[in-house]
Every structure is written in structure tokens, then in C-alpha cells.
Amino acid sequence: MSVDPNAPTQGGFPVPPGAGGPPRAHPARYLVPALVAAAVAVGLGAYGKVHDPEGTAFNLAGFSSTGAVKSWLATTALGFAVLQVVSALMVYGKLPGPSWSAGVHRWSGRVAFLVAVPVAVHCLYAFGYQTTTPRVLWHSALGCFFFGAFSAKMLLLRSERLPGWLLPVVGGLVFAVLTVVWWTSALWFFRTFGVST
């Protein structure tokens, strides 16, 4: 058997063609995003716990309260997140869609994140990490978890040779957590104080 002298080497010797199989993903490819996710979530929670709540962080003209601002921004973020899920189903061929579905997917995710950031900043600055009721506890914990999981998803997007199921599962988790965060805040606000601006 002849071996190509220009073939990749392993241990200083040429590797015969077909030997060794496809390269396996290094465990750090998954460990680093998981550690970053944990660090982001714990960091946000720790800041929220030690920070003295200010009661309010911002208000926008045209809204009756900061609760209304947050609820509408959170609802907008959820709307763009729904658009991202639908466009992801188009990209993966599960739904029919136009050729520009991938662009819609990327931009709807960006907008959802950018709209969610001021809501999170307000929550952390104005209220901190609270555990006064089960609803508030779930909202605080999952709000921190959302930004950790989102960070992991962004890091995984840059990785190569991921299992085909991983990004849809992480993306679905991010969407599910955002939905529960919205349900424990904006939906609660609208049910308690009415749908108004």
C-alpha cells in the first residue's frame, strides 16, 4: 500500500486515506458556551440580588407607566421571537418559505434581543432579583437564564461541526424561556392593569 507523503500526519507518520474517520468535535466546543451561559445568568442574578432597587429606570413619552413600557417592549420582543421561530422552520425546510427566510431569521432575532435588553436593564436596576412570590421568583430566575442561554446560542452559531439537532434545541429553549418570562411579566401586567399604553 502506498501512502501519499503530503497527506495529513498523526504522530509524525502519514495517515492512510480513510483512517481515523471524520474529525470529532472537541468537548470545549460545548463546554465554553455552557460556562459562558452560566456566568452570564449567575452574574445577572448576583447583580440583581446585591443591587439596591431604584423603583424605576426609565419611562417613554406616550406611556402611562414604566410597567406599560416594559410590557409593550416585552410583547414586541416576543412577537419578533415568534417570527424568528417561524422563519427558522422555513430555513430548516419544515415550512414553505421564501429564499430570504434566513435573513428574516437573523434580523428578527437581532430585533427581539435589542428590544429585550432595555426591559432587562430596567428590571435589574429598578427591581433587582426578587423572590417575593412564585411568579416574581420564576420571572427573576428565568430572566437571568434567558440572557445566559442566548449567549450560549450566539457562541454555538460560530462553531463548526455541531450536531444538526443542537441549534434548534437551544433556539427552542431560548424561545420557551422568553415566553415564560413574558407570561410572568407582560401578560400578568395586562391582566392586572389592563391593556393600555
Side-chain angles (χ1 to χ4, degrees), residues 129-144:
Y129 188 96
Q130 294 187 12
T131 58
T132 54
T133 67
R135 178 189 67 82
V136 171
L137 170 63
W138 279 106
H139 182 73
S140 294
L142 291 176
C144 295

PDB file of all heavy atoms in Angstrom, residues 129-144:
ATOM      1  N   TYR A 129     -33.170  41.286  41.718  1.00  0.00           N
ATOM      2  CA  TYR A 129     -33.561  39.871  41.711  1.00  0.00           C
ATOM      3  C   TYR A 129     -34.435  39.642  42.928  1.00  0.00           C
ATOM      4  O   TYR A 129     -33.979  39.741  44.062  1.00  0.00           O
ATOM      5  CB  TYR A 129     -32.320  38.984  41.771  1.00  0.00           C
ATOM      6  CG  TYR A 129     -32.607  37.517  41.580  1.00  0.00           C
ATOM      7  CD1 TYR A 129     -32.474  36.934  40.337  1.00  0.00           C
ATOM      8  CD2 TYR A 129     -33.004  36.722  42.640  1.00  0.00           C
ATOM      9  CE1 TYR A 129     -32.725  35.585  40.148  1.00  0.00           C
ATOM     10  CE2 TYR A 129     -33.277  35.378  42.470  1.00  0.00           C
ATOM     11  CZ  TYR A 129     -33.134  34.819  41.223  1.00  0.00           C
ATOM     12  OH  TYR A 129     -33.391  33.477  41.038  1.00  0.00           O
ATOM     13  N   GLN A 130     -35.723  39.364  42.699  1.00  0.00           N
ATOM     14  CA  GLN A 130     -36.662  39.237  43.815  1.00  0.00           C
ATOM     15  C   GLN A 130     -37.260  37.837  43.870  1.00  0.00           C
ATOM     16  O   GLN A 130     -37.360  37.157  42.851  1.00  0.00           O
ATOM     17  CB  GLN A 130     -37.778  40.264  43.686  1.00  0.00           C
ATOM     18  CG  GLN A 130     -37.290  41.687  43.831  1.00  0.00           C
ATOM     19  CD  GLN A 130     -38.446  42.664  43.872  1.00  0.00           C
ATOM     20  OE1 GLN A 130     -39.613  42.302  44.011  1.00  0.00           O
ATOM     21  NE2 GLN A 130     -38.119  43.942  43.758  1.00  0.00           N
ATOM     22  N   THR A 131     -37.669  37.464  45.072  1.00  0.00           N
ATOM     23  CA  THR A 131     -38.257  36.144  45.293  1.00  0.00           C
ATOM     24  C   THR A 131     -39.532  36.250  46.135  1.00  0.00           C
ATOM     25  O   THR A 131     -39.897  35.305  46.813  1.00  0.00           O
ATOM     26  CB  THR A 131     -37.243  35.233  46.005  1.00  0.00           C
ATOM     27  OG1 THR A 131     -36.865  35.841  47.247  1.00  0.00           O
ATOM     28  CG2 THR A 131     -35.999  35.019  45.165  1.00  0.00           C
ATOM     29  N   THR A 132     -40.206  37.393  46.083  1.00  0.00           N
ATOM     30  CA  THR A 132     -41.335  37.650  46.985  1.00  0.00           C
ATOM     31  C   THR A 132     -42.537  36.747  46.735  1.00  0.00           C
ATOM     32  O   THR A 132     -43.248  36.405  47.666  1.00  0.00           O
ATOM     33  CB  THR A 132     -41.777  39.119  46.878  1.00  0.00           C
ATOM     34  OG1 THR A 132     -42.035  39.411  45.490  1.00  0.00           O
ATOM     35  CG2 THR A 132     -40.702  40.054  47.395  1.00  0.00           C
ATOM     36  N   THR A 133     -42.808  36.384  45.492  1.00  0.00           N
ATOM     37  CA  THR A 133     -43.910  35.483  45.149  1.00  0.00           C
ATOM     38  C   THR A 133     -43.378  34.461  44.150  1.00  0.00           C
ATOM     39  O   THR A 133     -42.338  34.696  43.517  1.00  0.00           O
ATOM     40  CB  THR A 133     -45.097  36.242  44.510  1.00  0.00           C
ATOM     41  OG1 THR A 133     -44.687  36.743  43.234  1.00  0.00           O
ATOM     42  CG2 THR A 133     -45.583  37.378  45.402  1.00  0.00           C
ATOM     43  N   PRO A 134     -44.073  33.351  43.964  1.00  0.00           N
ATOM     44  CA  PRO A 134     -43.611  32.385  42.960  1.00  0.00           C
ATOM     45  C   PRO A 134     -43.496  32.984  41.558  1.00  0.00           C
ATOM     46  O   PRO A 134     -42.547  32.702  40.826  1.00  0.00           O
ATOM     47  CB  PRO A 134     -44.674  31.285  43.004  1.00  0.00           C
ATOM     48  CG  PRO A 134     -45.206  31.341  44.401  1.00  0.00           C
ATOM     49  CD  PRO A 134     -45.187  32.801  44.763  1.00  0.00           C
ATOM     50  N   ARG A 135     -44.449  33.848  41.174  1.00  0.00           N
ATOM     51  CA  ARG A 135     -44.390  34.478  39.848  1.00  0.00           C
ATOM     52  C   ARG A 135     -43.126  35.323  39.708  1.00  0.00           C
ATOM     53  O   ARG A 135     -42.409  35.238  38.715  1.00  0.00           O
ATOM     54  CB  ARG A 135     -45.629  35.359  39.619  1.00  0.00           C
ATOM     55  CG  ARG A 135     -45.594  36.090  38.271  1.00  0.00           C
ATOM     56  CD  ARG A 135     -46.709  37.125  38.172  1.00  0.00           C
ATOM     57  NE  ARG A 135     -46.551  38.225  39.092  1.00  0.00           N
ATOM     58  CZ  ARG A 135     -45.766  39.281  38.893  1.00  0.00           C
ATOM     59  NH1 ARG A 135     -45.029  39.373  37.795  1.00  0.00           N
ATOM     60  NH2 ARG A 135     -45.692  40.241  39.782  1.00  0.00           N
ATOM     61  N   VAL A 136     -42.845  36.126  40.714  1.00  0.00           N
ATOM     62  CA  VAL A 136     -41.675  37.004  40.675  1.00  0.00           C
ATOM     63  C   VAL A 136     -40.381  36.184  40.703  1.00  0.00           C
ATOM     64  O   VAL A 136     -39.418  36.495  39.994  1.00  0.00           O
ATOM     65  CB  VAL A 136     -41.738  38.019  41.837  1.00  0.00           C
ATOM     66  CG1 VAL A 136     -40.443  38.804  41.954  1.00  0.00           C
ATOM     67  CG2 VAL A 136     -42.919  38.954  41.646  1.00  0.00           C
ATOM     68  N   LEU A 137     -40.370  35.123  41.483  1.00  0.00           N
ATOM     69  CA  LEU A 137     -39.190  34.249  41.530  1.00  0.00           C
ATOM     70  C   LEU A 137     -38.918  33.633  40.169  1.00  0.00           C
ATOM     71  O   LEU A 137     -37.788  33.660  39.679  1.00  0.00           O
ATOM     72  CB  LEU A 137     -39.380  33.161  42.586  1.00  0.00           C
ATOM     73  CG  LEU A 137     -38.331  32.040  42.578  1.00  0.00           C
ATOM     74  CD1 LEU A 137     -36.951  32.589  42.901  1.00  0.00           C
ATOM     75  CD2 LEU A 137     -38.715  30.943  43.549  1.00  0.00           C
ATOM     76  N   TRP A 138     -39.950  33.056  39.546  1.00  0.00           N
ATOM     77  CA  TRP A 138     -39.772  32.464  38.220  1.00  0.00           C
ATOM     78  C   TRP A 138     -39.326  33.517  37.205  1.00  0.00           C
ATOM     79  O   TRP A 138     -38.469  33.259  36.361  1.00  0.00           O
ATOM     80  CB  TRP A 138     -41.066  31.798  37.745  1.00  0.00           C
ATOM     81  CG  TRP A 138     -41.264  30.449  38.324  1.00  0.00           C
ATOM     82  CD1 TRP A 138     -42.146  30.091  39.311  1.00  0.00           C
ATOM     83  CD2 TRP A 138     -40.554  29.257  37.978  1.00  0.00           C
ATOM     84  NE1 TRP A 138     -42.030  28.754  39.596  1.00  0.00           N
ATOM     85  CE2 TRP A 138     -41.061  28.218  38.787  1.00  0.00           C
ATOM     86  CE3 TRP A 138     -39.542  28.966  37.069  1.00  0.00           C
ATOM     87  CZ2 TRP A 138     -40.594  26.916  38.704  1.00  0.00           C
ATOM     88  CZ3 TRP A 138     -39.075  27.665  36.986  1.00  0.00           C
ATOM     89  CH2 TRP A 138     -39.599  26.654  37.795  1.00  0.00           C
ATOM     90  N   HIS A 139     -39.920  34.705  37.290  1.00  0.00           N
ATOM     91  CA  HIS A 139     -39.551  35.778  36.358  1.00  0.00           C
ATOM     92  C   HIS A 139     -38.086  36.172  36.533  1.00  0.00           C
ATOM     93  O   HIS A 139     -37.352  36.309  35.549  1.00  0.00           O
ATOM     94  CB  HIS A 139     -40.453  36.995  36.560  1.00  0.00           C
ATOM     95  CG  HIS A 139     -40.156  38.100  35.619  1.00  0.00           C
ATOM     96  ND1 HIS A 139     -40.499  38.051  34.286  1.00  0.00           N
ATOM     97  CD2 HIS A 139     -39.518  39.290  35.806  1.00  0.00           C
ATOM     98  CE1 HIS A 139     -40.086  39.164  33.694  1.00  0.00           C
ATOM     99  NE2 HIS A 139     -39.492  39.927  34.593  1.00  0.00           N
ATOM    100  N   SER A 140     -37.661  36.346  37.761  1.00  0.00           N
ATOM    101  CA  SER A 140     -36.269  36.733  38.029  1.00  0.00           C
ATOM    102  C   SER A 140     -35.301  35.654  37.559  1.00  0.00           C
ATOM    103  O   SER A 140     -34.322  35.944  36.862  1.00  0.00           O
ATOM    104  CB  SER A 140     -36.071  36.988  39.523  1.00  0.00           C
ATOM    105  OG  SER A 140     -36.795  38.105  39.953  1.00  0.00           O
ATOM    106  N   ALA A 141     -35.564  34.410  37.939  1.00  0.00           N
ATOM    107  CA  ALA A 141     -34.651  33.317  37.596  1.00  0.00           C
ATOM    108  C   ALA A 141     -34.593  33.089  36.090  1.00  0.00           C
ATOM    109  O   ALA A 141     -33.506  32.976  35.500  1.00  0.00           O
ATOM    110  CB  ALA A 141     -35.072  32.043  38.316  1.00  0.00           C
ATOM    111  N   LEU A 142     -35.758  33.034  35.450  1.00  0.00           N
ATOM    112  CA  LEU A 142     -35.774  32.757  34.010  1.00  0.00           C
ATOM    113  C   LEU A 142     -35.308  33.951  33.187  1.00  0.00           C
ATOM    114  O   LEU A 142     -34.773  33.779  32.090  1.00  0.00           O
ATOM    115  CB  LEU A 142     -37.163  32.291  33.576  1.00  0.00           C
ATOM    116  CG  LEU A 142     -37.551  30.909  34.098  1.00  0.00           C
ATOM    117  CD1 LEU A 142     -38.977  30.560  33.694  1.00  0.00           C
ATOM    118  CD2 LEU A 142     -36.575  29.840  33.617  1.00  0.00           C
ATOM    119  N   GLY A 143     -35.490  35.162  33.704  1.00  0.00           N
ATOM    120  CA  GLY A 143     -34.957  36.330  33.004  1.00  0.00           C
ATOM    121  C   GLY A 143     -33.438  36.268  32.921  1.00  0.00           C
ATOM    122  O   GLY A 143     -32.845  36.522  31.872  1.00  0.00           O
ATOM    123  N   CYS A 144     -32.800  35.911  34.021  1.00  0.00           N
ATOM    124  CA  CYS A 144     -31.340  35.750  34.019  1.00  0.00           C
ATOM    125  C   CYS A 144     -30.933  34.568  33.131  1.00  0.00           C
ATOM    126  O   CYS A 144     -29.976  34.660  32.353  1.00  0.00           O
ATOM    127  CB  CYS A 144     -30.829  35.538  35.444  1.00  0.00           C
ATOM    128  SG  CYS A 144     -31.077  36.963  36.518  1.00  0.00           S
TER     129      CYS A 144
END
